[in-house]
């Protein structure tokens, strides 16, 4: 894959098992070493904070994009090359889309699910042709993937995620996409 910037959607929770944070750190270091710029939500907490800090500490370029109202509730990461404060969530999602050559969907909650659904829907609608990577770590995304599979089976759509996204479940598989 010829990717110079990767938008990452992932959890901002500080209550996950340590293996999720380790995965985020490993991805951050790997992307920094590959000179792939990280575009993400700008928070200092959760997997978001781990991926940005690891990449930044490894010499990578990291751009955080956060809506003004969240900048008061969440800690804005200082482990970034640049922070961009935007008006609202709609503008944030637009910039996350615009700045990334491709998208990586890591485990996350409602915000990550919303962002993933948007970017996947836009690809279904042929509004973009950027790569989407679903990192199904510890089978986290199985039920999400099955919703799309069931929609296709029941004729609510003619595509499923296997046709439109790359699927990986290990760091080794993820790295192989970039070799």
């Amino acid at each position: 894959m010829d990717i110079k910037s990767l938008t990452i959607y992932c959890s901002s929770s500080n209550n996950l098992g340590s293996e999720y944070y380790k995965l985020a750190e490993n991805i951050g270091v790997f992307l920094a070493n590959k000179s792939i710029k990280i575009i993400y939500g700008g928070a200092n907490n959760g997997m978001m904070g781990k991926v940005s800090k690891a990449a930044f500490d490894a010499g990578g370029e990291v751009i955080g994009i956060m809506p003004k109202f969240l900048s008061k509730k969440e800690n804005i990461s200082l482990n970034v090359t640049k922070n961009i404060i935007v008006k609202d969530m709609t503008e944030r999602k637009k910039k996350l889309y615009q700045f990334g050559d491709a998208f990586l969907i890591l485990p996350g909650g409602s915000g990550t699910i919303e962002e993933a659904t948007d970017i996947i829907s836009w690809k279904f609608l042929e509004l973009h042709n950027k790569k989407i990577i679903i990192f199904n770590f510890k089978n986290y995304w199985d039920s999400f993937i099955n919703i799309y599979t069931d929609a296709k089976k029941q004729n609510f759509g003619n595509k499923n995620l296997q046709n439109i996204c790359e699927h990986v479940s290990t760091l080794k598989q993820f790295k192989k996409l970039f070799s």
Side-chain angles (χ1 to χ4, degrees), residues 9 89-90 92-94 97 103 105 110-128 132 144 148:
Y9 303 120
M89 292 297 281
T90 301
R92 177 198 218 180
K93 288 195 295 183
K94 183 178 178 183
Y97 166 75
F103 307 95
I105 304 167
S110 61
T112 304
I113 294 166
E114 177 190 8
E115 292 162 335
T117 302
D118 279 351
I119 212 68
I120 290 166
S121 294
W122 297 348
K123 189 160 184 175
F124 278 150
L125 295 169
E126 299 178 358
L127 298 174
H128 74 85
I132 301 171
F144 181 79
Y148 284 92

Side-chain angles (χ1 to χ4, degrees), residues 56 66 127 130 150 153 165:
F56 186 77
M66 185 175 284
L127 298 174
K130 298 178 182 184
D150 289 344
K153 281 182 191 174
C165 301

Side-chain angles (χ1 to χ4, degrees), residues 115-165:
E115 292 162 335
T117 302
D118 279 351
I119 212 68
I120 290 166
S121 294
W122 297 348
K123 189 160 184 175
F124 278 150
L125 295 169
E126 299 178 358
L127 298 174
H128 74 85
N129 194 30
K130 298 178 182 184
K131 296 274 188 207
I132 301 171
I133 305 162
I134 297 176
F135 202 126
N136 194 17
F137 185 65
K138 297 181 77 174
N139 300 313
Y140 180 83
W141 291 112
D142 280 358
S143 57
F144 181 79
I145 293 165
N146 288 336
I147 288 171
Y148 284 92
T149 302
D150 289 344
K152 183 175 188 272
K153 281 182 191 174
Q154 296 181 41
N155 298 314
F156 287 98
N158 61 358
K159 299 173 187 156
N160 64 27
L161 291 184
Q162 286 73 20
N163 299 113
I164 211 155
C165 301

Side-chain angles (χ1 to χ4, degrees), residues 15-69:
N15 299 313
L16 307 176
S18 62
E19 64 274 18
Y20 290 96
Y21 305 123
K22 185 69 176 161
L23 173 67
E25 289 170 345
N26 286 333
I27 288 170
V29 170
F30 172 76
L31 293 172
N33 289 336
K34 286 289 214 178
S35 298
I36 297 172
K37 182 188 324 178
I38 292 175
I39 313 298
Y40 86 113
N44 193 37
N45 35 334
M47 292 177 76
M48 291 172 69
K50 297 293 185 185
V51 75
S52 68
K53 181 172 178 7
F56 186 77
D57 288 351
E61 189 174 352
V62 180
I63 297 177
I65 303 170
M66 185 175 284
K68 189 173 186 172
F69 81 93

